[in-house]
Amino acid sequence: GAVVSQHPSRVICKSGTSVKIECRSLDFQATTMFWYRQFPKQSLMLMATSNEGSKATYEQGVEKDKFLINHASLTLSTLTVTSAHPEDSSFYICSAAYLRDRGDIQYFGAGTRLSVL
Amino acid sequence: DAKTTQPNSMESNEEEPVHLPCNHSTISGTDYIHWYRQLPSQGPEYVIHGLTSNVNNRMASLAIAEDRKSSTLILHRATLRDAAVYYCILRGEVGTSGSRLTFGEGTQLTVNP
């Protein structure tokens, strides 16, 4: 299957700092990238969908000024958690897909565990 | 989004087959049935998908009911590495909100040695 690289895998930061997470599709061009958040013992929650060259579409309840998404190329999307606070501590996961029809597969990164002190 | 219902947990013994059920009674005629799994502390990985006919790949088989209101993921010989949360998800038309993968609670599969 295709490979999606997510970096960093783990980050610990102080409250008030900003953290950038990168998501790269290594062997295919992704029309669409997705960002999810997962709290312990819970399922994945979709935060936003981004298409290359256009603004991300955020899910209801997700602050777009808090979670900045940039999808500058067909192989790279970044999520920046601005002014992170302890409640932002979570497991962030990206996925990428070349969406043409309903059968297309999403490929996921390994996730980034963010701990805000 | 059309909803799926899965058991919270299932257990299996190593090297035995596992049948993971999924109900999706509100599935539309154009929704694909996707299965993903998530190992501990990792991102999900694709397992299999189908529309109407049963599907086989190197990881698993997918049996889809004739009325498409339910499906079963079959792991032919479970290994300890198959212990994961398995998600059954319906995917709709690309370009619509239904094309997103919306994860439910999934089924936690435990494989006993």
Side-chain angles (χ1 to χ4, degrees):
Chain A
V3 177
V4 173
S5 172
Q6 189 173 339
H7 179 80
S9 59
R10 184 176 184 98
V11 59
I12 300 172
C13 69
K14 291 183 179 179
S15 186
T17 60
S18 294
V19 174
K20 180 185 280 190
I21 302 169
E22 285 191 355
C23 181
R24 292 180 184 272
S25 57
L26 296 185
D27 50 4
F28 72 103
Q29 292 187 323
T31 57
T32 308
M33 288 189 172
F34 303 86
W35 288 94
Y36 294 82
R37 181 166 55 179
Q38 186 174 35
F39 292 107
K41 306 288 186 187
Q42 294 185 22
S43 187
L44 284 79
M45 185 187 75
L46 179 65
M47 299 175 67
T49 302
S50 78
N51 294 297
E52 184 263 340
S54 61
K55 288 184 179 179
T57 301
Y58 290 81
E59 295 299 303
Q60 194 171 7
V62 178
E63 300 174 58
K64 60 181 180 183
D65 295 330
K66 172 80 171 173
F67 300 99
L68 300 178
I69 292 172
N70 184 281
H71 191 165
S73 75
L74 286 172
T75 60
L76 173 64
S77 177
T78 60
L79 167 69
T80 301
V81 183
T82 61
S83 186
H85 291 286
E87 58 266 30
D88 298 322
S89 298
S90 188
F91 192 48
Y92 292 86
I93 307 168
C94 73
S95 73
Y98 187 86
L99 289 185
R100 290 158 301 179
D101 63 44
R102 297 169 299 274
D104 287 327
I105 297 165
Q106 269 180 236
Y107 298 96
F108 287 81
T112 297
R113 191 161 301 282
L114 171 63
S115 299
V116 185
L117 304 177
Chain B
D1 295 342
K3 186 175 169 58
T4 63
T5 304
Q6 300 176 251
N8 288 334
S9 62
M10 291 187 66
E11 271 193 55
S12 172
N13 295 320
E14 202 174 7
E15 299 198 2
E16 289 184 357
V18 182
H19 291 231
L20 297 166
C22 180
N23 286 319
H24 29 78
S25 58
T26 59
I27 189 171
S28 78
T30 56
D31 285 344
Y32 273 71
I33 302 159
H34 286 246
W35 283 82
Y36 285 76
R37 72 180 185 181
Q38 186 179 23
L39 280 64
S41 299
Q42 295 187 29
E45 67 173 334
Y46 166 78
V47 178
I48 201 166
H49 75 279
L51 181 61
T52 55
S53 304
N54 294 344
V55 184
N56 299 295
N57 66 21
R58 64 175 182 81
M59 287 182 71
S61 295
L62 177 60
I64 302 172
E66 200 168 327
D67 63 5
R68 301 207 330 123
K69 294 186 176 182
S70 65
S71 60
T72 303
L73 178 70
I74 303 165
L75 306 180
H76 296 284
R77 290 183 66 191
T79 69
L80 296 179
R81 285 181 291 180
D82 291 323
V85 179
Y86 286 78
Y87 297 98
C88 167
I89 305 168
L90 302 182
R91 164 165 264 165
E93 191 73 43
V94 171
T96 70
S97 62
S99 69
R100 304 169 306 185
L101 286 182
T102 302
F103 287 78
E105 298 306 313
T107 297
Q108 173 70 62
L109 176 65
T110 301
V111 180
N112 301 313

